[in-house]
Amino acid sequence: MVRIERLVTSGTFSLDGETFDVDNNVWIVGDDEEAIVIDAAHDAAAIVDALGGRRAVAIVCTHGHDDHIDAAPEVALRTGAPILLHPDDLPLWHMKHPALEPTTHLTDGQRIGVAGATLTVLHTPGHSPGAVCLHLPAEHVVFSGDTLFEGGPGATGRSFSDKPTILRSITDRLLTLPPDTVVHTGHGPDTTIGAERDNIR
């Protein structure tokens, strides 16, 4: 049976010449045998420890900001897992990892299987061009990266982001999910689709 684990790691986010301290949610989805890592942030050793010897099926990047991908190459090296990123975020990826490429590209509607469950990729641009969310309907959850948080949309005040686009993505791709769907975010606490409906303006 699939289970969901949250690991919080700490580091920095840098873009547009500024750097901020951040805590990130790293999500591990799987069972006793295998798991996927959603957003390999900051601390490869902690992520590998959390996997506990399970086979890493994939490292899925919800977007290309450096705080969500900085540990991905080392986790991939230590586990053999492929790194998956939407191609529209390759410019952001290359800011952090100029000499490396993700293993493969995410596409809208792509299905990723782990532990007998299936996650569906939802392309939700706005916070970044290649931002994605991962819907796990069997568990009534969606992993939103930095697209949707408790209190509303992710930030759009920096390069590669656009507020009308993120609002359209949330309205068209996330608010159409059942209202009791739990939103596992890239930073901070969970929320639900129903709770955020009134925060999308």
Side-chain angles (χ1 to χ4, degrees):
M1 181 176 178
V2 70
R3 65 180 185 268
I4 298 167
E5 303 158 49
R6 182 202 323 242
L7 171 69
V8 179
T9 60
S10 299
T12 61
F13 163 63
S14 299
L15 189 63
D16 297 337
E18 294 185 274
T19 297
F20 305 90
D21 293 329
V22 289
D23 295 329
N24 284 62
N25 294 328
V26 180
W27 297 98
I28 298 175
V29 182
D31 58 14
D32 290 338
E33 303 299 324
E34 64 181 20
I36 67 165
V37 175
I38 300 173
D39 289 342
H42 308 309
D43 191 337
I47 295 167
V48 172
D49 286 348
L51 285 168
R54 289 176 284 180
R55 182 175 73 90
V57 174
I59 301 161
V60 182
C61 308
T62 62
H63 61 293
H65 284 159
D66 63 354
D67 60 319
H68 290 254
I69 64 168
D70 51 0
E74 186 178 347
V75 175
L77 182 65
R78 294 175 63 172
T79 64
I83 300 170
L84 285 62
L85 175 79
H86 193 283
D88 289 354
D89 268 14
L90 282 172
L92 287 164
W93 170 274
H94 287 137
M95 288 180 184
K96 183 65 179 178
H97 304 300
L100 295 173
E101 296 294 330
T103 312
T104 188
H105 293 159
L106 292 168
T107 58
D108 186 56
Q110 179 179 345
R111 295 177 182 272
I112 302 169
V114 64
T118 302
L119 296 97
T120 300
V121 176
L122 307 176
H123 183 209
T124 53
H127 182 68
S128 67
V132 302
C133 298
L134 300 166
H135 185 213
L136 182 58
E139 300 298 317
H140 308 285
V141 303
V142 63
F143 301 91
S144 65
D146 286 2
T147 295
L148 182 63
F149 292 104
E150 181 184 49
T156 52
R158 297 190 176 274
S159 298
F160 301 96
S161 66
D162 183 73
K163 186 172 183 179
T165 300
I166 200 172
L167 292 174
R168 185 165 58 249
S169 291
I170 292 169
T171 300
D172 294 349
R173 307 307 305 275
L174 298 183
L175 296 188
T176 54
L177 301 176
D180 63 347
T181 301
V182 174
V183 181
H184 290 318
T185 62
H187 308 270
D190 294 343
T191 184
T192 66
I193 292 297
E196 298 311 316
R197 289 187 189 279
D198 291 338
N199 294 322
I200 306 306
R201 293 286 183 268

